[in-house]
Amino acid sequence: MTGFSLERLSLNQATVKYLGLADAVALCVRHDIPAIGLWRDRVAEVGLSSAAALVRRAGLHVSSLCRGGFFTAGDADGREAVRADNVAAVREAAALGADVLVLVCGGLVPGSRDLGLARRMVADAIGELVPFAQRLGVRLGIEALHPMFCADRCVIASLGEAVDLALLFPAEAVGVVVDTYHVWWDVRLALVLERAAGRIASYQVCDWVVPLPADVLLGRGHLGDGVIDFGPISDAVAAAGYQGYVEVEIFNADVWSAPPDEIAATMRERFAAVLGGAVPRGLSGRSVTSQDFGAVGAAGGGGAVGVQGDGPALLVDRDMMVVEAKQRAAVHAGLAAVGQVGHVVHLTR
């Protein structure tokens, strides 16, 4: 698997929902996280110039600004308000030096079931915004959302659609955002990422937890807490030429309720273990999932174990999840052992 070093780690502000900008910046500094993905509401709380100065003083890079878009207003006044808001978003991204302004394009037009209409409105609105963004040196990033959000959040419901749309414009002006939560399921993903060469403006990562909560928007977890196989996706993103920061963006009520320093420490550890190939230092208290194991062995007290693709398995003290073993494996963790593993096995002492 292609490794991403911690020098490419970015904290998306959504992961620490309850922190204001100053506290989120301080958290990054304490945990040696070099970049931050900003949200416009948090920037507005302190003011644009103050936000830009705060981030600069801390020595952080702004990997993204979220978000513009929501282009599918139902009337002329609404569309004018959307246009003005997106112009403001471009100005903010320029002032902050953000790598990309993330666009969540909007759902169906209110009162309409016409997907084609909504998608045409999105394309037209982006086309109108591009010249202004180019003048300010801001790259727009079209984010495809999972199809379950198509009606109310984003009619661009697959990465392939996002790439098709981005290809209508110059690569330096419009790219795509690859968010593992939204795209991991797509059987065509590898081929789409090949087509996205030179167009990936942001790579955002989190896991897909099961079972999903009632509010599916919050079904994201720390890397390793769910079912996503990050290796092939990350390899394809790297092969497509992406050299930017990798943002951890998590919407999850349990994560949000944890102490911020715990969130940041877990985020760094999982990033290194799952994306960078490092051995975790004994993650405590929570089960995680790991995919495609071969032979796996573990000391009874928790530590480095086994293989996940080309990297290590994740062990949480004596509590471990093994998913989809491809070959006969002997697994020892404390007093537990299994042979052939063809499904999820929960190992406890």
Side-chain angles (χ1 to χ4, degrees):
M1 185 188 86
T2 299
F4 291 109
S5 71
L6 285 167
E7 286 78 14
R8 295 178 68 179
L9 172 61
S10 177
L11 169 70
N12 187 287
Q13 272 193 285
T15 304
V16 286
K17 176 181 175 66
Y18 301 123
L19 292 188
L21 179 58
D23 288 335
V25 166
L27 184 72
C28 288
V29 172
R30 285 199 303 277
H31 290 269
D32 197 24
I33 297 169
I36 189 167
L38 299 177
W39 279 68
R40 293 179 64 203
D41 57 339
R42 290 303 196 181
V43 170
E45 288 174 353
V46 300
L48 179 59
S49 60
S50 295
L54 179 64
V55 173
R56 281 197 300 270
R57 283 197 303 269
L60 297 182
H61 188 89
V62 179
S63 53
S64 72
L65 179 65
C66 194
R67 59 194 177 207
F70 289 93
F71 298 115
T72 54
D75 56 48
D77 289 343
R79 288 190 291 274
E80 178 56 29
V82 166
R83 188 199 68 80
D85 184 65
N86 278 279
V87 166
V90 170
R91 292 187 189 278
E92 292 161 19
L96 293 164
D99 289 342
V100 60
L101 173 63
V102 177
L103 301 180
V104 176
C105 294
L108 290 168
V109 178
S112 170
R113 292 182 172 87
D114 191 338
L115 268 172
L117 170 64
R119 287 168 173 153
R120 289 192 298 273
M121 290 176 66
V122 168
D124 290 346
I126 292 174
E128 183 180 348
L129 190 61
V130 162
F132 179 69
Q134 286 180 299
R135 287 199 297 273
L136 271 65
V138 172
R139 194 179 194 193
L140 307 176
I142 302 167
E143 181 171 15
L145 268 57
H146 191 281
M148 64 186 171
F149 300 114
C150 185
D152 60 342
R153 289 181 180 271
C154 190
V155 293
I156 307 303
S158 72
L159 185 60
E161 292 176 71
V163 172
D164 289 342
L165 184 51
L167 288 172
L168 299 175
F169 307 101
E172 67 276 9
V174 182
V176 297
V177 177
V178 178
D179 185 326
T180 55
Y181 176 76
H182 293 301
V183 307
W184 70 274
W185 54 272
D186 193 340
V187 69
R188 300 159 296 182
L189 184 57
L191 294 175
V192 172
L193 287 169
E194 286 183 11
R195 292 182 55 231
R199 290 282 178 166
I200 299 176
S202 178
Y203 183 34
Q204 297 180 334
V205 295
C206 68
D207 220 329
W208 178 286
V209 300
V210 289
L212 285 172
D215 184 350
V216 292
L217 185 65
L218 306 186
R220 299 170 176 243
H222 281 293
L223 305 183
D225 277 350
V227 300
I228 295 177
D229 187 358
F230 290 95
I233 301 174
S234 295
D235 286 347
V237 167
Y242 183 68
Q243 298 180 341
Y245 289 90
V246 182
E247 288 188 5
V248 176
E249 183 186 50
I250 300 172
F251 293 77
N252 183 297
D254 291 335
V255 172
W256 290 339
S257 66
D261 285 292
E262 178 185 323
I263 297 171
T266 302
M267 188 182 84
R268 274 182 59 91
E269 182 122 339
R270 301 295 182 85
F271 187 96
V274 177
L275 297 185
V279 175
R281 297 188 302 272
L283 311 178
S284 61
R286 296 177 184 173
S287 298
V288 297
T289 60
S290 302
Q291 295 189 13
D292 298 340
F293 280 77
V296 181
V305 299
V307 183
Q308 177 178 351
D310 294 333
L314 295 179
L315 179 69
V316 182
D317 290 338
R318 296 174 177 84
D319 193 0
M320 181 178 182
M321 295 292 289
V322 180
V323 183
E324 296 185 89
K326 300 298 186 184
Q327 52 189 284
R328 183 167 300 276
V331 181
H332 179 266
L335 301 179
V338 297
Q340 179 68 30
V341 183
H343 56 283
V344 175
V345 185
H346 193 190
L347 301 178
T348 57
R349 185 175 179 86

